[in-house]
Amino acid sequence: MYKVIYPTIITGLLVLFTSVMLSLFSKSWDPKSKHCYVTGGSSGLGLAVAKLLVSKGAHVSIVSRDARRLENAMKELEAVRTSPHQILRYYSYDLVTAAGSREALDAVCEPHQGKNPDAIFMLAGSCHPRFFIEETEETMRTQMDQTYWVQAWTALEASKRMVRDKSKGKIVFHSAYIGYITLIGYAAYGPGRMALRALADTLRQEFLLYDIDVHIAFPGTMYTPGYDIENATKPKITLKIEETDPGVTGDQYAKGLLRGVQNGDFHISPDLLGNIFRASMRGVAPSGNFIVDSLWNFIGWIGLPIWRMSVDSTVKGHKKEHEEYLTSKGFCMFCLNAGEAGLHTDQI
Amino acid sequence: MYKVIYPTIITGLLVLFTSVMLSLFSKSWDPKSKHCYVTGGSSGLGLAVAKLLVSKGAHVSIVSRDARRLENAMKELEAVRTSPHQILRYYSYDLVTAAGSREALDAVCEPHQGKNPDAIFMLAGSCHPRFFIEETEETMRTQMDQTYWVQAWTALEASKRMVRDKSKGKIVFHSAYIGYITLIGYAAYGPGRMALRALADTLRQEFLLYDIDVHIAFPGTMYTPGYDIENATKPKITLKIEETDPGVTGDQYAKGLLRGVQNGDFHISPDLLGNIFRASMRGVAPSGNFIVDSLWNFIGWIGLPIWRMSVDSTVKGHKKEHEEYLTSKGFCMFCLNAGEAGLHTDQI
């Protein structure tokens, strides 16, 4: 690979410049009259995206587990419909298994003559941070279900159908800042969020074979019902580190997400910090404007190590308080004999 | 975070320069007389690392599933021991569950008066690439077991013990190039490899609370028994894209890995391509020499988009051959009616 770099630097710059120019004249995707399937669509970001899509004239199907929340969400969707012909539906399924995801897709396609959705927004999931040594086999697996599998199964089932039927479409994954830059407290959550990024990166390339578009969004703090659940188990030190993140509402983020999808962006990070993280974790993901992204890369190159050193120093300063916390939780911090005390994955 | 960047650019450069200078005078970790636990130690990279550790005077315990392979591996370890006092042991356990990983740790610590290992090298796992739409629920879950869980459980069980006993030590994860830069064919494998990176990144920071060191290695193609297994299911297009990767032997990579651990490197990528990938996916991971890493970042910034465009073009050029492949496998590529044919996760 590296053998070709030097003679092609100028060519590369020209190609990138040309693609930026071309993108200025490309037509953006319009959700009007499209069938959009939104998982996790009964609350938070899912509901915000579903409402936005309905307000733009799309047919929208939402799926989540809680039937009562779905009913309330449907009222909000009905309130913003722009035409009596829009098909708005809600379904209750658990998407953390392949079977549940398949059944949900069957149900969602039914009012559309069995046709696959034109776009799938995978926004279901939840976050439960805690210290790694407090995790158990169950909490680790549940967090992987709620980050990775809840999207991976829908992507798998949907893409099999799309390839079988030769239908084009969009698959939109949903990661988080933590999918770029993890923090203390996210040892169970971060891996699933980064795993989604790997899946999206792979599928973006693989689905060039089928003309299926792949997107993935990386939001930061969002003030949604899920945020309160997340903070219930979040270690104090993590809350402290995150207190400078200003955060946005689900409605605010939904607009940025949909704009990214409409523009054809692959990694969607519609804010300053997200862009710095994206450029510092770009890998081979197609990026946006070369000049602007060079700036994000430079800022991240200088700024992120400084930020990391500051966070590391905060963590080290938390040692004493953490020892007290562990002692209060029953961890024996002063046993020299391994047999004396302690706890295993199945004992917490 | 970004508010502090501009006034601290010079300070940051000075801090980085100082840390590079300090690292030149720091003492490297010596495995002599340490107890090193190597998972996957009966073949491939695991065996190569175990042999290297034995040759440097460490007590070594290896764990894998295959009892016969373990016996043969033990003969190789015995052949390179440097002292009759070295404790060399092998154990057969399946590490893809928390319980198996706990039992293995119990067994491994037993000849050492129950003391935790000084260093844990997690080198078990396997790779089974295929096209995403050919994956099933079972193959997806198995690949997550063989990439992520096989290391996550050992890390979880070991860190609980280390915190309980206040024992220091090293935990070494093992990802791959694909944990930085995924490719067509790795939709099940890449997510687990990148998930490990997220886990390692989180734990590096979290374990500052306990003075436990975390490392993670990112090897490319390695000519080991696992490589032949991997190539048995690898799509032709993936083989074609990878044919320019020169590859190394397990013994060659083991040396680079151990050197990285001894030097205290966090992300270990001891080759040119690995370094370019690392710098392009650095996030907030502590890096090496600032000047050298700036060069890798620059090369990646220019070179990787060009490489990606070339790979994308190769994938697009594979469309016709892929359609023929899918037809031969029973995928109906020309059915317009969704009910006519097709296959679900549980039907392949």
Side-chain angles (χ1 to χ4, degrees):
Chain A
M1 188 272 302
Y2 46 89
K3 285 177 195 165
V4 299
I5 288 169
Y6 301 108
T8 45
I9 283 178
I10 295 166
T11 320
L13 286 172
L14 279 172
V15 168
L16 285 162
F17 179 75
T18 312
S19 49
V20 167
M21 287 295 105
L22 281 173
S23 73
L24 293 177
F25 299 99
S26 64
K27 211 178 157 211
S28 82
W29 180 75
D30 184 359
K32 193 175 177 184
S33 302
K34 303 281 200 314
H35 176 206
C36 299
Y37 170 26
V38 183
T39 75
S42 69
S43 70
L45 180 63
L47 177 56
V49 168
K51 276 163 65 182
L52 196 57
L53 289 165
V54 172
S55 74
K56 288 180 182 288
H59 307 293
V60 173
S61 306
I62 57 173
V63 164
S64 81
R65 283 175 301 183
D66 189 323
R68 186 176 299 177
R69 264 214 297 227
L70 279 164
E71 282 170 27
N72 290 332
M74 186 47 62
K75 286 178 197 151
E76 295 197 42
L77 298 192
E78 284 292 350
V80 292
R81 72 153 70 231
T82 60
S83 141
H85 303 297
Q86 278 174 278
I87 304 169
L88 310 182
R89 292 281 190 281
Y90 67 93
Y91 308 89
S92 174
Y93 285 97
D94 189 351
L95 304 174
V96 299
T97 64
S101 303
R102 180 164 62 249
E103 286 160 20
L105 265 164
D106 282 339
V108 158
C109 295
E110 197 272 330
H112 299 268
Q113 297 81 45
K115 271 179 64 188
N116 298 312
D118 296 291
I120 302 177
F121 294 82
M122 295 182 293
L123 305 174
S126 59
C127 172
H128 308 279
R130 50 176 80 78
F131 289 112
F132 185 55
I133 60 161
E134 292 187 295
E135 299 285 357
T136 65
E137 178 161 13
E138 192 196 339
T139 60
M140 291 278 286
R141 287 205 188 271
T142 303
Q143 192 62 103
M144 189 59 89
D145 282 346
Q146 287 296 327
T147 48
Y148 181 67
W149 295 119
V150 71
Q151 297 184 50
W153 298 134
T154 294
L156 183 62
E157 292 296 333
S159 56
K160 282 175 194 274
R161 288 162 197 249
M162 290 163 87
V163 172
R164 178 193 65 187
D165 302 341
K166 281 205 148 189
S167 59
K168 315 285 179 234
K170 286 182 173 293
I171 296 182
V172 185
F173 291 94
H174 156 236
S175 179
Y177 274 4
I178 298 295
Y180 283 140
I181 306 291
T182 75
L183 269 184
I184 180 171
Y186 291 109
Y189 176 78
R193 284 286 177 240
M194 214 177 267
L196 282 171
R197 183 257 164 92
L199 182 59
D201 275 17
T202 314
L203 297 188
R204 183 206 63 79
Q205 188 171 79
E206 198 159 314
F207 287 2
L208 293 173
L209 291 168
Y210 319 118
D211 299 317
I212 297 170
D213 295 332
V214 177
H215 306 263
I216 179 166
F218 294 85
T221 296
M222 247 186 307
Y223 300 117
T224 60
Y227 185 61
D228 299 327
I229 294 168
E230 172 182 331
N231 279 353
T233 57
K234 194 178 280 177
K236 271 188 197 170
I237 176 80
T238 313
L239 280 168
K240 187 179 172 187
I241 294 165
E242 288 180 342
E243 68 190 6
T244 52
D245 185 353
V248 292
T249 65
D251 286 330
Q252 286 173 315
Y253 194 82
K255 284 179 194 153
L257 190 157
L258 190 57
R259 193 168 51 243
V261 171
Q262 292 188 280
N263 290 347
D265 296 345
F266 171 45
H267 278 213
I268 298 170
S269 46
D271 49 39
L272 180 69
L273 215 48
N275 275 305
I276 295 170
F277 291 163
R278 179 176 57 76
S280 306
M281 280 289 282
R282 63 190 182 275
V284 286
S287 60
N289 183 296
F290 183 73
I291 308 296
V292 178
D293 272 10
S294 295
L295 180 68
W296 302 138
N297 182 28
F298 178 73
I299 294 175
W301 182 250
I302 302 297
L304 288 186
I306 299 169
W307 179 69
R308 186 198 68 239
M309 284 185 259
S310 138
V311 174
D312 284 1
S313 159
T314 306
V315 173
K316 284 178 193 163
H318 185 70
K319 260 185 178 180
K320 203 171 169 305
E321 194 182 332
H322 185 64
E323 282 209 11
E324 287 163 11
Y325 169 80
L326 287 182
T327 307
S328 78
K329 286 277 181 176
F331 267 82
C332 178
M333 290 291 285
F334 307 100
C335 306
L336 290 173
N337 182 339
E340 267 184 63
L343 54 182
H344 292 312
T345 292
D346 57 358
Q347 292 174 338
I348 296 184
Chain B
M1 185 272 305
Y2 46 88
K3 287 178 194 161
V4 299
I5 288 169
Y6 301 108
T8 44
I9 284 179
I10 295 166
T11 321
L13 287 170
L14 279 172
V15 168
L16 286 161
F17 179 74
T18 312
S19 50
V20 168
M21 286 295 104
L22 282 172
S23 72
L24 293 176
F25 299 100
S26 65
K27 213 176 156 213
S28 81
W29 180 75
D30 184 358
K32 191 174 178 186
S33 303
K34 303 281 199 315
H35 176 207
C36 300
Y37 170 26
V38 184
T39 75
S42 69
S43 69
L45 180 62
L47 178 56
V49 168
K51 276 164 65 183
L52 196 56
L53 289 165
V54 172
S55 74
K56 289 181 182 289
H59 307 294
V60 173
S61 307
I62 57 173
V63 164
S64 81
R65 282 174 301 183
D66 189 321
R68 185 176 299 177
R69 264 215 297 227
L70 278 164
E71 282 170 29
N72 290 333
M74 186 48 62
K75 286 178 197 152
E76 293 196 44
L77 298 192
E78 284 291 349
V80 291
R81 72 155 67 232
T82 60
S83 143
H85 303 297
Q86 279 173 279
I87 304 169
L88 309 181
R89 293 280 190 282
Y90 68 93
Y91 307 89
S92 174
Y93 285 97
D94 190 350
L95 303 174
V96 299
T97 64
S101 303
R102 180 164 62 247
E103 287 160 21
L105 264 165
D106 282 338
V108 158
C109 295
E110 197 270 330
H112 299 269
Q113 298 81 46
K115 272 179 63 188
N116 299 311
D118 296 290
I120 301 176
F121 293 82
M122 296 181 294
L123 305 173
S126 60
C127 173
H128 307 279
R130 52 176 79 77
F131 289 114
F132 186 56
I133 59 161
E134 292 187 296
E135 299 285 357
T136 65
E137 177 161 14
E138 191 195 339
T139 60
M140 291 280 284
R141 287 204 187 270
T142 303
Q143 191 63 102
M144 189 58 89
D145 282 345
Q146 288 295 326
T147 49
Y148 181 68
W149 296 119
V150 72
Q151 298 185 50
W153 298 134
T154 294
L156 183 63
E157 293 295 332
S159 56
K160 281 175 195 274
R161 288 161 196 250
M162 290 162 88
V163 172
R164 177 193 67 187
D165 303 341
K166 280 205 147 191
S167 60
K168 315 284 179 238
K170 286 182 173 293
I171 295 181
V172 185
F173 291 93
H174 156 235
S175 178
Y177 274 3
I178 297 295
Y180 283 141
I181 306 290
T182 74
L183 270 183
I184 181 171
Y186 290 110
Y189 175 79
R193 284 287 178 237
M194 213 176 268
L196 283 171
R197 183 258 164 94
L199 182 59
D201 275 17
T202 314
L203 298 188
R204 183 205 63 79
Q205 189 171 79
E206 199 159 313
F207 288 2
L208 293 173
L209 292 167
Y210 320 117
D211 299 318
I212 297 170
D213 295 332
V214 176
H215 306 264
I216 179 164
F218 294 85
T221 296
M222 248 186 306
Y223 299 116
T224 61
Y227 185 62
D228 298 327
I229 295 168
E230 173 182 330
N231 280 353
T233 57
K234 193 177 280 178
K236 269 189 200 170
I237 176 79
T238 312
L239 280 168
K240 186 179 173 188
I241 294 165
E242 287 180 341
E243 68 190 6
T244 52
D245 184 354
V248 293
T249 65
D251 286 331
Q252 285 172 315
Y253 194 83
K255 284 179 193 153
L257 190 158
L258 190 57
R259 193 167 53 243
V261 171
Q262 292 187 280
N263 291 346
D265 296 346
F266 171 44
H267 278 212
I268 299 169
S269 46
D271 49 40
L272 179 69
L273 215 48
N275 276 306
I276 295 170
F277 291 163
R278 179 176 58 74
S280 306
M281 280 289 283
R282 63 191 182 274
V284 287
S287 60
N289 183 296
F290 183 73
I291 307 297
V292 178
D293 273 9
S294 295
L295 180 68
W296 300 139
N297 182 29
F298 178 73
I299 295 175
W301 182 251
I302 301 297
L304 289 186
I306 298 169
W307 179 69
R308 185 198 69 239
M309 284 186 260
S310 137
V311 174
D312 284 0
S313 158
T314 306
V315 173
K316 284 178 193 163
H318 186 69
K319 260 185 176 179
K320 202 170 171 303
E321 195 180 333
H322 185 64
E323 282 209 10
E324 288 164 10
Y325 169 79
L326 287 182
T327 307
S328 78
K329 286 276 180 175
F331 267 82
C332 178
M333 291 289 286
F334 306 101
C335 306
L336 289 173
N337 182 341
E340 267 183 64
L343 57 182
H344 293 311
T345 291
D346 58 357
Q347 292 175 336
I348 296 183

